[in-house]
Amino acid sequence: MARTAEIEVLLGILRQDGIHDEAVLSALADIPRELFVAPPFASRAWENVALPISKGQTISQPYIVALMTQALQLNDRMKVLEVGTGSGYQAAILARLARRVYTLERHKPLLREAEERFRTLGLHTISTLHADGGLGWKAQAPFDRIIVTASAQDVPPVLVDQLAIGGIMVVPVGEVSHTQILLRVMRTPTGIDVTELMPVRFVPMLAGTEEF
């Protein structure tokens, strides 16, 4: 099946599953997912499944990427923080929709691979940092939107503090050994409003950094 046909099949599945934001769907169609998966899985890049990458991490299922991106309600004036660069796929999608993307990754080899993919695709509005994602990126705060691609025990207060008033954070919360809940968190002048989106399974958010 040609790549274009594979993309159309995937977009049809996503629409059936409730992804209605055409800008999000267009971004998914534009970014070559095969560039972000491990070579042995390149033939499955456009399937609606999560796939393994190095360092015990995964590239998320396209539906989850689309759902989380849609929940952010992005526009091209926004400044976005991503916690957990991974393969770089989610950041590449965000870069199609937001003014500026700041992405953090604790595994240096993963970050270097993602940076090379960004260069290949000419994505010059993405800033990267090798850092503990749970600490956010205070020097660049506040952010209009924050997306967290690893599960936290609870809504991270450090990240809430880096979210602009009226801003939205999408984050999976819960025990790693159990199904987590994907939350949409809006910061208000008096606190946060939290909406549960769906059950999910993500790798855990870990403290510290890894050099190798």
Side-chain angles (χ1 to χ4, degrees):
M1 185 185 295
R3 178 177 180 272
T4 300
E6 290 180 312
I7 294 170
E8 288 304 316
V9 169
L10 176 60
L11 296 184
I13 292 170
L14 298 182
R15 288 188 178 98
Q16 289 174 2
D17 289 344
I19 305 302
H20 53 74
D21 188 323
E22 288 298 325
V24 172
L25 292 168
S26 179
L28 263 75
D30 286 346
I31 297 298
R33 192 169 185 256
E34 64 272 16
L35 184 64
F36 295 85
V37 305
F41 299 97
S43 64
R44 303 188 63 193
W46 292 97
E47 295 179 20
N48 191 27
V49 295
L51 294 170
I53 59 174
S54 59
K55 299 299 177 182
Q57 308 299 298
T58 60
I59 178 173
S60 292
Q61 176 188 6
Y63 171 69
I64 295 298
V65 173
L67 177 69
M68 294 177 75
T69 307
Q70 180 172 272
L72 289 173
Q73 300 178 355
L74 293 166
N75 65 53
D76 60 8
R77 299 181 304 278
M78 289 180 173
K79 179 179 172 182
V80 183
L81 173 67
E82 179 193 32
V83 176
T85 311
S87 70
Y89 181 65
Q90 176 72 76
I93 299 296
L94 296 171
R96 294 290 195 199
L97 301 166
R99 176 175 61 86
R100 190 82 197 177
V101 178
Y102 296 84
T103 184
L104 302 166
E105 174 56 54
R106 67 185 301 272
H107 292 286
K108 183 175 280 188
L110 282 182
L111 189 63
R112 297 296 173 254
E113 291 171 8
E115 289 170 339
E116 182 58 34
R117 294 180 182 114
F118 300 153
R119 285 190 288 269
T120 297
L121 293 173
L123 299 174
H124 303 303
T125 60
I126 302 175
S127 296
T128 62
L129 184 66
H130 177 227
D132 182 336
L135 301 179
W137 198 331
K138 188 175 181 181
Q140 297 294 341
F143 299 96
D144 302 298
R145 301 290 188 264
I146 297 176
I147 183 169
V148 183
T149 61
S151 65
Q153 291 290 317
D154 204 347
V155 176
V158 171
L159 298 182
V160 171
D161 288 344
Q162 295 181 25
L163 190 61
I165 302 298
I168 294 171
M169 174 166 57
V170 177
V171 54
V173 169
E175 297 291 337
V176 174
S177 58
H178 298 82
T179 299
Q180 302 120 22
I181 300 296
L182 187 63
L183 302 181
R184 181 178 181 272
V185 179
M186 177 176 284
R187 187 175 183 188
T188 72
T190 57
I192 58 173
D193 288 337
V194 179
T195 303
E196 294 188 1
L197 298 179
M198 66 174 292
V200 290
R201 292 297 297 267
F202 276 83
V203 296
M205 184 189 296
L206 301 176
T209 59
E210 296 286 344
E211 295 290 329
F212 305 101

